[in-house]
Amino acid sequence: MEIASWLRSKSDCQRAACGWVHFTNCQRRLDVKAKIILIALSGFLFFQTSLSFANANNGKNIYLARCAMCHGESAKGTGPLANKSNPPAPNLATPAFRKRLNDYPGVIVSSIILRPNGDLIPRTLRENGVRLPPHAWTINDLRDLNEYMASLIAKK
């Protein structure tokens, strides 16, 4: 329902001569609608605000230290270890991945946390003599990395 018609329905309900019960029911529906709109706006504002606080330098530093060795500086799967894993590191700058990132903004974060490829990344690093120190991931790190990669991939 559009906001204008929602506001009109409030006026209609308040002016209704049907009695107190009708007014009370209308008021309850309006309260629910107002709460839904408030929640939606709050979520939108929180999402926009949290993205605006992303630290691009932190995201870039994490990417270069932990991802570029396989995916390359441009995220095209051209890093020095790109072809040393099976399957090779994918090109993340393709239109298909860009669409996936737009459709599922958390795809980068989930691949870090859930490791859908099992131990492929640690095994590839270990087999090639690369020792990455453990990283105590924070929400800000995940947000910054996600934002950096999204901006990097969008440039392609």
Side-chain angles (χ1 to χ4, degrees):
M1 175 181 268
E2 295 179 16
I3 292 178
S5 61
W6 174 69
L7 291 173
R8 276 195 304 276
S9 71
K10 181 175 182 182
S11 306
D12 294 343
C13 287
Q14 288 177 335
R15 281 181 273 159
C18 300
W20 179 253
V21 173
H22 178 74
F23 177 77
T24 305
N25 288 340
C26 285
Q27 195 61 41
R28 282 188 194 132
R29 283 194 300 268
L30 292 172
D31 288 346
V32 170
K33 289 177 185 177
K35 287 177 184 174
I36 290 171
I37 290 172
L38 181 63
I39 290 168
L41 286 173
S42 298
F44 176 76
L45 291 173
F46 173 76
F47 183 70
Q48 292 294 12
T49 303
S50 68
L51 292 181
S52 66
F53 290 122
N55 182 335
N57 287 332
N58 184 41
K60 181 177 182 177
N61 291 338
I62 292 171
Y63 179 82
L64 292 175
R66 305 192 76 79
C67 309
M69 64 191 68
C70 293
H71 293 287
E73 287 186 31
S74 62
K76 292 184 176 183
T78 57
L81 299 179
N83 294 314
K84 304 240 181 199
S85 66
N86 187 15
N91 178 350
L92 302 178
T94 63
F97 189 81
R98 201 172 306 129
K99 180 181 179 337
R100 188 172 168 207
L101 182 61
N102 287 335
D103 292 345
Y104 307 102
V107 71
I108 294 168
V109 171
S110 67
S111 63
I112 292 168
I113 295 171
L114 301 176
R115 285 196 181 166
N117 295 328
D119 76 333
L120 175 67
I121 296 169
R123 184 171 28 91
T124 301
L125 297 174
R126 188 174 51 251
E127 289 172 356
N128 290 282
V130 177
R131 293 189 54 150
L132 276 180
H135 187 76
W137 291 94
T138 66
I139 295 296
N140 289 347
D141 289 341
L142 296 170
R143 177 202 60 204
D144 297 346
L145 178 63
N146 192 70
E147 284 304 300
Y148 173 74
M149 289 186 69
S151 68
L152 179 68
I153 292 165
K155 291 178 187 176
K156 307 304 170 206

